[in-house]
Amino acid sequence: LTDAGKTVEMNVAGANTLTVPPNSAVAFVVGTYQNFSQYGAGQTTLTPGAGVTLRNRSGLRTAGQYALGTLYQRATDEWVVGGDLTV
């Protein structure tokens, strides 16, 4: 919960995963925005936790180093993902 409204930097040399937890594990308030970035060389893949739905247009992987994205929680366990992402 302390990361809400901040940017989580994934500063990793190899491919890595950012898991969006279910509400039962972390009870973010509906309407929360959460930024994330691929700061390191390793591509970050967003993965939904159990029961979580991630909605997006372009994919759930960062497009390259310094790519930035945003998660918006529109309902319990439902997030919209946008930003510099790819399939």
Side-chain angles (χ1 to χ4, degrees):
L1 288 175
T2 59
D3 288 334
K6 297 179 182 175
T7 300
V8 175
E9 290 185 348
M10 303 300 284
N11 190 6
V12 184
N16 57 86
T17 302
L18 177 61
T19 301
V20 180
N23 188 68
S24 61
V26 182
F28 287 108
V29 176
V30 171
T32 295
Y33 284 87
Q34 179 68 57
N35 295 319
F36 59 93
S37 70
Q38 177 190 324
Y39 191 78
Q43 185 178 46
T44 300
T45 300
L46 270 72
T47 302
V52 174
T53 300
L54 299 179
R55 303 198 186 278
N56 67 84
R57 284 187 53 172
S58 58
L60 294 174
R61 296 180 187 186
T62 51
Q65 193 168 22
Y66 310 120
L68 181 68
T70 299
L71 290 154
Y72 161 66
Q73 188 180 29
R74 69 168 307 276
T76 302
D77 290 329
E78 181 181 3
W79 295 79
V80 177
V81 186
D84 192 5
L85 303 172
T86 189
V87 175

